[in-house]
Amino acid sequence: MSTAKGPLKGRAARLGRLMPSGPSSAARTPFVLLVVVLLGGGLISLLLLNSALNQGSFKLNELKDRTTELTDEEQALQRDVDDYAAPDALERRARELGMVPGGSPAFLGPDGKVLGEPSEAAAPKPTPTPSRRPTPSGKPTPPAATGSPKPGTTTGAGATGPARTAPARAPAPPPTPTNSGR
């Protein structure tokens, strides 16, 4: 076997000129460039992914805050409904509307017979107003108007003032919810 290298002949000489046999840096340049491009692309994609996750996190926190606000508002509205549905509140509002407690009821049996003695609902008697003490001049003070006067009657100054009647008051509507400035 011959280990000595001699000059190449023929086809081998032509191929030897196309492919140099010495060390070259030209083969490393594309590989290094490829690695740098891959690392840069990976870093940019990680940055974009991180930005998208942060944006989603902010949106999630905003939605949680909004859910908390709406839950608080729902609880406040439920308390209002419970307050309006309480028996004493219903009775007070019914009296403001001029309703009175019903009398004794009567019932109809399945055969059409009336059971019980029906009675008419009667307005309760107004509570007496306390009398006024006399003023230092010795004249008693006029009683304050506790109820609404009858329509067409005059109050206070006699015939010179206009007739005043108390307007019928409806129950106040429940408060409307707000959006807390959003």
Side-chain angles (χ1 to χ4, degrees):
M1 292 209 178
S2 160
T3 58
K5 290 189 178 183
L8 297 174
K9 298 182 183 175
R11 188 172 189 188
R14 283 184 293 193
L15 286 174
R17 282 183 263 149
L18 291 175
M19 299 169 76
S21 61
S24 74
S25 63
R28 286 190 198 158
T29 305
F31 177 72
V32 171
L33 192 61
L34 177 67
V35 169
V36 168
V37 167
L38 286 176
L39 286 176
L43 288 175
I44 289 174
S45 64
L46 282 175
L47 179 66
L48 291 175
L49 181 64
N50 193 15
S51 297
L53 289 175
N54 282 339
Q55 185 178 6
S57 175
F58 286 131
K59 182 71 173 174
L60 180 65
N61 284 339
E62 182 180 317
L63 290 175
K64 282 182 180 178
D65 291 344
R66 181 73 177 137
T67 301
T68 303
E69 288 175 13
L70 290 175
T71 302
D72 292 345
E73 186 174 339
E74 178 191 15
Q75 290 173 352
L77 290 173
Q78 187 61 45
R79 278 193 304 271
D80 290 345
V81 167
D82 292 343
D83 289 343
Y84 285 131
D88 58 339
L90 289 174
E91 179 186 10
R92 180 180 37 82
R93 289 200 335 254
R95 290 194 189 279
E96 288 173 358
L97 292 172
M99 300 173 93
V100 295
S104 61
F107 301 97
L108 288 176
D111 57 351
K113 187 186 276 186
V114 177
L115 303 172
E117 186 67 33
S119 65
E120 193 174 296
K125 295 179 176 58
T127 58
T129 57
S131 61
R132 302 288 178 173
R133 292 186 297 184
T135 60
S137 64
K139 297 181 182 177
T141 58
T146 57
S148 61
K150 297 202 186 290
T153 61
T154 59
T155 59
T160 59
R164 295 186 343 192
T165 59
R169 292 184 58 200
T176 57
T178 61
N179 287 339
S180 301
R182 289 187 183 206

